[in-house]
Amino acid sequence: MPTETELKLHLEPEVVSQFKQHPLLQTATHTTAPQHLYNTYFDTVNHTLLQQGIGLRIRRMGEQRIQTIKSAGAGLGGLHQRQEWETLVSGDSPEYSQFPPEALPTWCHDENNLQQIVPLFVTDFTRMTWHLILEEGSEIEIALDQGEVKTPAACLPLCEVELELKSGSPTKLYQIALKLQKALPLRIENKSKAALGYALHQPQPPQFHKAGTLNLTPEMNAEQAFVAIIWHCIGHWQANEEIVLHSDAPEGIHQMRVALRRLRSGLNLYQSLIPKESYTKLHHQLKWLTTILGTARDWDIFTQHLAEIQRYADDSLSDLSKTIAELRRNTYVNVRHILDSSEYSRLLLTLGKWLTQRRWRKNMEMRALQSLEQPVSHFANQILPARYQKLCQQGEQLSKLNAKQRHSLRICVKKMAYATRFFSNLYPPATTLAFTKILSQLQEQLGILNDARTVTTLFNQIHPTTASSTRQLLKKYFKQHQDENLNQLAKIWQNFLEQPPFWNLTTE
């Protein structure tokens, strides 16, 4: 039961010849001539196997037929890791008896279910490969695939580079990808060929994705938990790429920005163990990307509130509405341009390399290394009380805080909320749910109050003059809700102070 580890990169067809001449490929110990690969993928029309986390295909190479089952696996930072089983077959239909029992989900044990499995789509491409043996002995196969993904009704061009790890560390895949990308406009491809085929067979509008559950376990040490946290945030981030690239739905931008804020919060959370000096450049790049997304998110907020005001205002806001729509559209174009750039993929590749290489360990003293190896529960029991104390101090005299100070409190609440959700699986759910719920309520209420500050700032960018009937209308709109929101915030804050910290409940 081998595990396939590969990095996928999209390549524009017009630079294929340039790719083939890259100096790195000239060092290959072995090169194969172009080979035609014709792959038929099987599932039910409702994608039952996909829902079971299984991919089933038959590859035709000349007269040979190879059937393969792959597990769902992970696709983060372009890196795909899956278990796979391969067997020779005599024809173009699956022979399920050839697979070991553990390769097939329970659903496949029923012969009636197997009858529902049919060919869904085809990948038809030509592959060239280069086999590299690196100085320290790692082996990597580089494949160039050019062709099509096809269903009876649609077709999608395919041009991608796959770096498959034959032996060694996944870090080497990132290093090779970064070397290639210095000369070529390579972009990370997180969708497998199968995923492209499924999307072509049954097109669906892009969906936004929330963070989901992070499954830390008490057996992990602090460093293992850190790596899991950052990969989880990257997964949340990249899960929203499609909706940001192909939809104007505001939730996509919002979730991608949340993912980046969670990631940066995770880095900050571990600053006592993993100093910022070990990722200074990454820190600046992540902050830059978060700011770009934040600008787009701010115009979304303005758009949403303006639509609410227009419900009871006259047509005097129509010109402002058109201006806001144009500015929002421009920020989305800018975001998409960045996500489609080599620089963006380079950021993800560099982050993946940093995580797999654990670069922060370089030049660490023994005592610091030992701190990384402490149980994650010990680290959580240190960091959560510290965050809690800082939050309580920030919220003292809540009723006297101005808008800027409330914004600082909001950031503090978010950091507490992210830390709580990162480590919540280490504690009994009954003790964490109430605490997490109150933090969510605080976030929401402070967010509503901060919207007035955001909208006012953006309006000042468009119309800096003070005498404006529209300005007065906006001020009146937010003032109508402010007192009620402040009263609600005070109640939630009091509930928060009365809620016993869950880490105390489990350590007493």
Side-chain angles (χ1 to χ4, degrees):
M1 185 180 61
T3 298
E4 179 186 58
T5 301
E6 61 185 18
L7 193 65
K8 289 180 177 288
L9 302 164
H10 174 79
L11 181 69
E12 295 297 334
E14 56 267 25
V15 295
V16 165
S17 60
Q18 187 181 345
F19 168 78
K20 292 178 181 179
Q21 298 303 315
H22 193 281
L24 187 64
L25 301 186
Q26 309 314 308
T27 67
T29 59
H30 178 66
T31 303
T32 63
Q35 183 179 28
H36 181 224
L37 302 178
Y38 188 90
N39 307 279
T40 303
Y41 286 77
F42 295 82
D43 204 336
T44 69
V45 292
N46 295 320
H47 300 175
T48 305
L49 291 181
L50 178 65
Q51 294 163 21
Q52 300 272 339
I54 292 295
L56 173 61
R57 78 169 186 221
I58 292 181
R59 169 166 289 175
R60 191 168 71 201
M61 295 189 298
E63 297 300 318
Q64 195 176 55
R65 304 290 187 272
I66 302 173
Q67 66 175 6
T68 303
I69 276 186
K70 294 189 180 187
S71 64
L76 296 173
L79 192 70
H80 299 253
Q81 291 183 305
R82 298 175 291 261
Q83 294 177 335
E84 65 174 8
W85 295 263
E86 288 188 344
T87 61
L88 290 171
V89 290
S90 57
D92 293 325
S93 299
E95 297 177 15
Y96 303 102
S97 61
Q98 299 292 330
F99 290 117
E102 67 271 18
L104 296 167
T106 306
W107 182 88
C108 292
H109 297 168
D110 188 329
E111 185 65 31
N112 292 326
N113 290 338
L114 295 179
Q115 297 302 318
Q116 301 176 42
I117 298 175
V118 295
L120 289 190
F121 57 90
V122 164
T123 61
D124 184 3
F125 58 91
T126 300
R127 167 170 289 180
M128 285 186 68
T129 62
W130 294 260
H131 190 84
L132 302 184
I133 299 179
L134 307 183
E135 288 183 2
E136 81 295 336
S138 295
E139 296 185 43
I140 293 174
E141 183 181 86
I142 301 178
L144 170 64
D145 294 339
Q146 294 177 272
E148 298 174 322
V149 181
K150 299 184 288 188
T151 69
C155 180
L156 187 69
L158 179 71
C159 188
E160 67 180 26
V161 174
E162 288 186 1
L163 311 180
E164 184 175 353
L165 187 67
K166 296 299 185 179
S167 67
S169 165
T171 299
K172 302 303 177 184
L173 295 179
Y174 286 107
Q175 289 176 341
I176 295 297
L178 286 165
K179 283 183 181 180
L180 290 170
Q181 208 202 36
K182 282 185 178 180
L184 298 159
L186 293 165
R187 301 196 313 272
I188 283 178
E189 177 58 80
N190 273 307
K191 284 189 174 182
S192 65
K193 294 181 182 69
L196 294 171
Y198 275 111
L200 200 62
H201 175 259
Q202 201 173 86
Q204 299 290 337
Q207 302 293 318
F208 70 85
H209 298 270
K210 293 188 175 183
T213 302
L214 172 63
N215 295 313
L216 299 185
T217 64
E219 293 75 29
M220 289 180 171
N221 63 33
E223 184 179 37
Q224 290 168 333
F226 170 76
V227 173
I229 287 169
I230 302 304
W231 276 123
H232 188 262
C233 294
I234 293 172
H236 181 201
W237 162 7
Q238 292 191 275
N240 288 285
E241 284 178 344
E242 186 174 8
I243 188 171
V244 173
L245 285 168
H246 304 294
S247 170
D248 289 336
E251 193 63 25
I253 287 279
H254 175 54
Q255 286 299 325
M256 183 176 281
R257 182 175 177 236
V258 168
L260 279 158
R261 294 184 75 126
R262 291 176 66 242
L263 192 156
R264 293 173 61 208
S265 182
L267 292 170
N268 181 265
L269 197 66
Y270 269 79
Q271 203 164 352
S272 62
L273 300 184
I274 300 175
K276 190 181 293 184
E277 290 75 23
S278 69
Y279 57 89
T280 303
K281 187 175 180 180
L282 279 171
H283 166 75
H284 292 307
Q285 290 173 323
L286 291 168
K287 185 176 181 180
W288 161 77
L289 183 57
T290 306
T291 301
I292 297 294
L293 292 168
T295 301
R297 175 61 181 166
D298 287 348
W299 287 115
D300 280 338
I301 290 170
F302 200 157
T303 300
Q304 291 165 7
H305 283 292
L306 192 61
E308 180 66 24
I309 295 171
Q310 285 181 298
R311 290 174 56 186
Y312 56 85
D314 54 30
D315 292 337
S316 61
L317 295 179
S318 60
D319 288 344
L320 177 62
S321 181
K322 292 176 183 177
T323 300
I324 300 304
E326 180 65 21
L327 289 167
R328 176 182 182 269
R329 189 157 45 245
N330 290 342
T331 61
Y332 268 59
V333 168
N334 186 39
V335 168
R336 288 166 184 154
H337 175 74
I338 289 168
L339 297 192
D340 207 31
S341 69
S342 294
E343 291 76 14
Y344 173 77
S345 285
R346 192 164 189 83
L347 166 59
L348 281 164
L349 289 170
T350 304
L351 185 55
K353 176 187 171 186
W354 184 73
L355 282 171
T356 55
Q357 194 175 36
R358 303 199 178 190
R359 185 74 174 175
W360 54 85
R361 282 179 161 259
K362 186 179 181 181
N363 301 326
M364 266 192 176
E365 297 180 357
M366 182 58 66
R367 187 173 180 179
L369 290 170
Q370 289 172 345
S371 295
L372 289 174
E373 293 170 3
Q374 67 178 299
V376 62
S377 55
H378 290 185
F379 178 69
N381 284 334
Q382 297 164 25
I383 208 73
L384 290 171
R387 284 285 169 103
Y388 178 75
Q389 183 179 9
K390 185 176 180 180
L391 174 56
C392 291
Q393 290 172 347
Q394 192 86 27
E396 284 181 351
Q397 297 182 324
L398 177 66
S399 61
K400 297 181 181 180
L401 299 183
N402 59 32
K404 186 176 181 179
Q405 291 168 328
R406 284 196 300 270
H407 178 61
S408 297
L409 176 62
R410 178 172 172 248
I411 293 173
C412 208
V413 169
K414 284 183 177 182
K415 289 181 177 180
M416 183 78 241
Y418 295 150
T420 298
R421 292 174 189 130
F422 287 152
F423 297 125
S424 62
N425 263 30
L426 302 174
Y427 302 89
T431 65
T432 61
L433 287 176
F435 193 87
T436 304
K437 183 178 180 180
I438 291 179
L439 284 173
S440 296
Q441 291 171 350
L442 281 174
Q443 275 186 265
E444 182 178 3
Q445 207 61 42
L446 286 164
I448 292 170
L449 287 163
N450 190 64
D451 285 355
R453 184 169 175 263
T454 299
V455 169
T456 301
T457 300
L458 292 178
F459 185 76
N460 287 340
Q461 293 177 17
I462 307 169
H463 298 288
T465 57
T466 53
S468 167
S469 59
T470 304
R471 183 184 304 279
Q472 295 305 314
L473 187 59
L474 292 172
K475 187 175 180 180
K476 179 181 177 183
Y477 166 76
F478 285 110
K479 181 62 179 174
Q480 285 176 338
H481 302 284
Q482 186 178 39
D483 292 341
E484 179 184 344
N485 290 332
L486 285 172
N487 289 335
Q488 186 66 22
L489 175 62
K491 292 177 183 177
I492 298 171
W493 179 255
Q494 188 58 41
N495 290 341
F496 171 72
L497 294 177
E498 293 172 1
Q499 179 68 34
F502 58 86
W503 52 89
N504 287 345
L505 297 175
T506 56
T507 56
E508 289 176 351

